Amino acid sequence: MSDKILASLNETQKQAAMHIDGPLLILAGAGSGKTKTITTRLAYLISLGIDPASILTLTFTNKAAQEMRQRAFALIDSPNTPALLCTFHKFGLMFLKFHIGELGRKNNFIIIDTDDKKRILKTIDKELNTAMLANEISNMKNILLSPSVAKANAQMKLYQQIADIYEKYESYLHKNNLVDFDDLLLLTYQILDKNEELAKETSEKYRYIMVDEYQDTNELQYKLLKKLCFKHNNLCVVGDDDQSIYGWRGATLKNILNFEKEFENTKLVKLEKNYRSTDTILNHANQLIDHNRDRMGKVLKGTRAKGKAIRVYESHDENEEARKIANDIKELINKGISASEIAVLFRVNALSRSLEDGLNKAGIAYRLVGGVKFYERAEIKDLIAFFRVVTNKNDDFSLKRIINKPKKGIGKGTVDKLELKAQERKTTIFAVIEELSAEELGVLCGKKNASTLKVFLASIMDLSDILKEAKMRFLDSFEECFDYRKSYNNAPDGYDRQGNIDEFYGLLRDFFMQNPLLDLDDFLNEIALASERENLEDLAVSLMSIHAAKGLEYSHIFIIGLEEGFFPIVGDTCNMEEERRLGYVAFTRAKDELVLSFVHSRFYKGRRTSLLKSRFLCESGLVKGSLTIEKNSAFKKGDLIKHKIFGMGRVEKVTQVSKDLKLTINFGGSKRDILSSFVEKI
């Protein structure tokens, strides 16, 4: 039976599947049959008589766990095998149900979701951005930083505040027997760390452990795995260091890079045969990723024909780019290619706007994978509502959407009172705010709210006047009045949202320049028409960010926005090696044809900006240019680090010095310049 299970594997896949005892690192390149190998290994272990209940397979998504379960158990024709395949967090939940009593807590705890978490934080602190707080607390839990340690190490006022809120938040959870998503792993680790006998017992229960997508694990997940391997080293991990693209959410590349050091006598198997892409695509993907220094090193080898040359499109601006791609897609569909086999990828979500407009004009059905269509994004709907109120004071629907944007204390109760008063007077909410005196408005909804509403009304009236006199000044004045863009400064997804806002502002400025006789009303009407063009999505072209494309494949791939600043994103907070890995992931989504596109100018931060083509075009050998190998870029601005003498600090600046990096680090108010080789990331 074992031979039958292994029959469809190539030689290196067989090596991986047949390894039984001791640590195993399967370095699986894109399209190399990673899932097939790990599921076959699971079936193979069971076929040898190993107790399925002693095998634990951990994944990142329920979908991946379900797929692996079906494929593995089909090989041994036993759908009810008791082997455990689940996500890290599902494992944590099951463990805590049995053992949370070790921490003096009851096992009838309730798991809170992100919205619950934000609501709790809001009751603790109403001033700081709730999304930012939730994100920072999550980060601290995932690097095993307790509230007391966070408080002891926080020198800057903001981090002292966050540490204090973190402590109160933890106290609230404990008191109400609640656990958040991060606790499912953190509390599991704490129990195993505290109780050595239980750690031994758990490790003996799960004698064989497998982990999928190991390059995406964080510090906490690594520490938890070490505990689960307390009594043995039978840990098999599968992943690809070249596809590690989640550093921004805590994934630690060093987990896979240091695996052989952390687990003695590791067997390393590299899956380098690619069954997805043409040789031409793989050749250029290999050239690109070869510029990274933080990698184990492997070369994808094609099993298919050479294939068509990669095309590189050069356009004047984003509108020309969108037209070219729409024409190409139309041609492919006319040739009988299914729209579901075509995808357009981008690094920055805001780039989808011109693309969506271009596909709409060409009558091509599309769907935005893992995202929201441009005009349906919350920040864009807010702006449209703001502008509708500026042009039409009677639009109560839009007014209610933005009366408390950005947040200024106008709650639902106040809005309900205003709406009721408007119904009594047979008028609009705006008219109520305008016609009632400050005193009358104060009686209706409180003195502070009355003052806020009068300022809001004055701002809308001023903007309405500016629009009549000087349209090109309108956006600057709007931002001065409402600081709408600035309100996303500390949000975890603020960069993307601000990018969308900039794109929208640029679109409006361009509309005014191209149509000097038309007004804001005309612009809003055009958008309404564009948004109404709903297409059927069963046979639709897929548009998505490169992050959303990981794990997917299409016959025809277009990648837009290959300019410095858009792809790669550049700056102090950027990790160029991770940007390059994103490029590698994007290239290797394509099976048959790949088209890359760059433009000479785009709207950027609300202005049309001249751009340079992406270094990735040169590095992948597609266009001529100087090829430079990046120096070590493992550290970036904002990273939390540890020095053996100075303790914990945060990186404020990164400078290249010879073959090393000089880091300017803030150690609780004291700044020092230290070479990167003397510190480690937390």
Side-chain angles (χ1 to χ4, degrees):
M1 183 178 177
S2 300
D3 290 343
K4 187 182 172 186
I5 288 170
L6 300 168
S8 65
L9 302 185
N10 66 36
E11 282 310 306
T12 47
Q13 289 171 338
K14 274 182 190 171
Q15 278 181 45
M18 294 172 71
H19 180 82
I20 312 298
D21 296 310
L24 169 65
L25 169 56
I26 306 173
L27 202 61
S32 64
K34 166 183 77 79
T35 305
K36 182 181 183 179
T37 304
I38 195 172
T39 51
T40 303
R41 182 175 187 269
L42 172 57
Y44 181 72
L45 291 176
I46 295 169
S47 77
L48 295 178
I50 291 170
D51 181 2
S54 70
I55 304 170
L56 170 63
T57 304
L58 297 170
T59 67
F60 277 86
T61 65
N62 289 316
K63 184 182 174 187
Q66 185 63 26
E67 183 192 348
M68 288 167 69
R69 181 180 292 107
Q70 288 169 349
R71 288 171 67 168
F73 298 167
L75 287 170
I76 52 174
D77 195 25
S78 179
N80 299 316
T81 304
L84 183 55
L85 282 93
C86 61
T87 64
F88 273 93
H89 292 91
K90 178 70 182 292
F91 173 78
L93 171 60
M94 291 188 294
F95 183 87
L96 291 180
K97 282 291 179 187
F98 286 102
H99 303 295
I100 199 167
E102 294 284 326
L103 298 174
R105 296 176 64 168
K106 295 175 184 173
N107 71 350
N108 63 341
F109 58 85
I110 293 167
I111 303 169
I112 59 168
D113 62 18
T114 306
D115 286 339
D116 296 328
K117 182 178 182 179
K118 287 178 181 175
R119 275 194 286 272
I120 293 165
L121 289 170
K122 199 67 175 170
T123 63
I124 297 169
D125 184 279
K126 290 183 170 59
E127 299 303 315
L128 291 178
N129 180 289
T130 313
M132 180 272 289
L133 277 175
N135 198 50
E136 284 289 335
I137 288 170
S138 180
N139 288 341
M140 286 190 276
K141 288 191 177 190
N142 280 294
I143 58 170
L144 298 152
L145 201 63
S146 66
S148 56
V149 174
K151 283 185 87 168
N153 285 282
Q155 301 296 323
M156 294 163 65
K157 188 184 176 187
L158 174 63
Y159 288 100
Q160 288 170 352
Q161 280 179 279
I162 293 170
D164 188 49
I165 294 163
Y166 178 22
E167 185 176 54
K168 289 173 182 170
Y169 169 72
E170 284 298 280
S171 173
Y172 183 94
L173 294 189
H174 198 284
K175 183 181 173 186
N176 293 280
N177 203 23
L178 306 172
V179 300
D180 65 22
F181 203 56
D182 300 308
D183 286 334
L184 295 175
L185 299 188
L186 180 60
L187 300 182
T188 298
Y189 170 77
Q190 286 173 348
I191 291 165
L192 291 172
D193 191 45
K194 175 184 171 188
N195 188 331
E196 190 171 302
E197 278 308 307
L198 182 57
K200 282 180 186 174
E201 183 189 312
T202 308
S203 185
E204 281 168 352
K205 180 179 179 181
Y206 300 110
R207 299 288 305 176
Y208 296 91
I209 299 171
M210 292 196 280
V211 183
D212 191 23
E213 302 286 11
Y214 189 65
Q215 77 281 349
D216 295 336
T217 53
N218 61 27
E219 181 76 9
L220 176 53
Q221 286 158 336
Y222 158 73
K223 291 266 180 81
L224 182 55
L225 285 170
K226 289 287 274 188
K227 291 293 177 190
L228 293 175
C229 292
F230 191 79
K231 288 290 287 180
H232 60 79
N233 260 342
N234 299 331
L235 174 63
C236 162
V237 301
V238 60
D240 184 0
D241 54 330
D242 291 333
Q243 294 188 73
S244 176
I245 58 173
Y246 296 112
W248 50 277
R249 70 178 188 201
T252 309
L253 180 62
K254 71 176 184 181
N255 285 357
I256 195 166
L257 295 180
N258 295 343
F259 187 83
E260 291 173 282
K261 292 178 192 168
E262 297 294 334
F263 296 89
E264 282 183 24
N265 303 315
T266 292
K267 181 177 177 65
L268 171 64
V269 178
K270 295 183 182 182
L271 304 184
E272 296 176 298
K273 274 191 178 178
N274 176 285
Y275 295 92
R276 178 190 298 151
S277 308
T278 65
D279 257 357
T280 301
I281 291 167
L282 295 177
N283 173 38
H284 292 291
N286 284 330
Q287 285 186 61
L288 174 63
I289 202 63
D290 201 38
H291 284 74
N292 272 6
R293 291 164 60 95
D294 290 334
R295 64 189 296 256
M296 298 186 72
K298 66 178 175 330
V299 178
L300 289 179
K301 302 175 183 81
T303 56
R304 300 181 56 201
K306 185 179 179 184
K308 294 182 179 179
I310 296 174
R311 282 175 289 157
V312 178
Y313 284 170
E314 178 179 2
S315 303
H316 173 67
D317 61 17
E318 68 275 16
N319 298 317
E320 185 186 343
E321 175 183 65
R323 278 196 302 274
K324 285 179 181 175
I325 287 168
N327 289 339
D328 268 14
I329 290 172
K330 209 161 197 175
E331 203 174 304
L332 287 170
I333 292 169
N334 289 341
K335 283 180 183 173
I337 304 290
S338 169
S340 61
E341 277 297 322
I342 304 168
V344 190
L345 312 183
F346 35 81
R347 172 67 180 92
V348 177
N349 284 321
L351 266 59
S352 82
R353 196 275 310 162
S354 55
L355 194 59
E356 289 182 57
D357 285 354
L359 294 177
N360 273 328
K361 283 171 187 166
I364 296 169
Y366 70 89
R367 63 194 186 102
L368 208 62
V369 178
V372 181
K373 291 183 177 181
F374 185 81
Y375 295 116
E376 291 170 13
R377 291 171 191 166
E379 59 277 15
I380 302 304
K381 289 182 88 166
D382 285 350
L383 289 172
I384 291 170
F386 265 116
F387 296 171
R388 278 180 177 155
V389 172
V390 169
T391 61
N392 177 12
K393 316 295 184 298
N394 299 324
D395 186 347
D396 274 1
F397 178 78
S398 296
L399 180 68
K400 284 193 287 182
R401 181 181 178 94
I402 50 92
I403 199 164
N404 194 40
K405 299 278 178 76
K407 289 184 179 176
K408 42 186 169 281
I410 306 297
K412 186 178 182 299
T414 299
V415 175
D416 289 346
K417 288 173 188 173
L418 290 169
E419 197 164 23
L420 192 63
K421 180 62 74 175
Q423 286 166 2
E424 284 173 13
R425 296 171 70 118
K426 294 186 172 56
T427 185
T428 64
I429 293 173
F430 195 92
V432 167
I433 301 169
E434 186 176 26
E435 291 163 9
L436 292 183
S437 67
E439 290 75 21
E440 290 169 322
L441 203 54
V443 170
L444 180 67
C445 52
K447 193 174 178 182
K448 186 182 175 188
N449 284 345
S451 172
T452 302
L453 289 166
K454 285 292 185 183
V455 170
F456 173 82
L457 177 132
S459 299
I460 294 292
M461 300 293 275
D462 286 347
L463 287 169
S464 190
D465 291 340
I466 288 164
L467 196 59
K468 291 170 192 165
E469 296 162 13
K471 285 186 293 191
M472 296 308 288
R473 255 182 52 220
F474 170 72
L475 284 174
D476 291 333
S477 302
F478 171 74
E479 271 299 326
E480 283 168 21
C481 286
F482 292 105
D483 280 337
Y484 185 72
R485 188 185 185 283
K486 202 183 288 182
S487 69
Y488 286 106
N489 276 356
N490 292 318
D493 56 353
Y495 181 88
D496 260 353
R497 290 188 185 273
Q498 288 181 332
N500 293 333
I501 291 165
D502 292 338
E503 177 72 11
F504 189 73
Y505 286 174
L507 186 63
L508 177 57
R509 284 196 172 96
D510 192 49
F511 178 85
F512 283 157
M513 283 191 285
Q514 302 295 329
N515 307 281
L517 299 178
L518 297 183
D519 294 317
L520 184 57
D521 261 344
D522 301 297
F523 173 76
L524 295 172
N525 289 338
E526 273 204 14
I527 286 173
L529 288 173
S531 301
E532 278 301 308
R533 296 184 194 118
E534 289 302 325
N535 293 302
L536 295 172
E537 293 194 350
D538 358 339
L539 287 174
V541 174
S542 297
L543 315 184
M544 70 191 87
S545 71
I546 296 163
H547 282 101
K550 188 170 179 290
L552 304 177
E553 57 181 47
Y554 295 86
S555 293
H556 303 269
I557 290 276
F558 297 83
I559 307 173
I560 66 167
L562 277 146
E563 304 99 29
E564 292 290 298
F566 284 98
F567 192 21
I569 291 171
V570 294
D572 284 346
T573 57
C574 157
N575 181 331
M576 191 52 65
E577 296 219 345
E578 186 156 315
E579 291 293 309
R580 199 173 281 108
R581 291 193 291 271
L582 274 166
Y584 175 80
V585 166
F587 279 34
T588 54
R589 298 311 94 200
K591 293 194 279 187
D592 301 323
E593 280 193 275
L594 179 60
V595 176
L596 309 179
S597 174
F598 72 94
V599 301
H600 290 292
S601 80
R602 283 187 196 277
F603 275 116
Y604 183 57
K605 297 192 182 299
R607 299 281 190 277
R608 183 158 290 285
T609 305
S610 293
L611 299 166
L612 298 171
K613 64 177 175 282
S614 168
R615 70 190 74 186
F616 295 166
L617 293 168
C618 302
E619 291 176 355
S620 57
L622 286 162
V623 301
K624 288 183 179 176
S626 57
L627 298 178
T628 57
I629 293 179
E630 292 290 325
K631 302 302 179 191
N632 188 324
S633 60
F635 291 89
K636 62 185 186 298
K637 184 179 175 183
D639 279 348
L640 206 57
I641 61 86
K642 186 179 181 183
H643 186 276
K644 60 184 178 184
I645 294 173
F646 303 121
M648 244 172 39
R650 200 170 282 276
V651 177
E652 291 195 349
K653 189 179 177 185
V654 181
T655 314
Q656 192 75 49
V657 178
S658 184
K659 291 183 178 179
D660 210 336
L661 296 174
K662 182 178 78 175
L663 309 177
T664 302
I665 304 167
N666 188 329
F667 294 99
S670 170
K671 293 185 185 181
R672 297 177 186 273
D673 289 337
I674 295 175
L675 292 178
S676 60
S677 50
F678 289 88
V679 301
E680 62 174 319
K681 258 192 209 178
I682 296 178

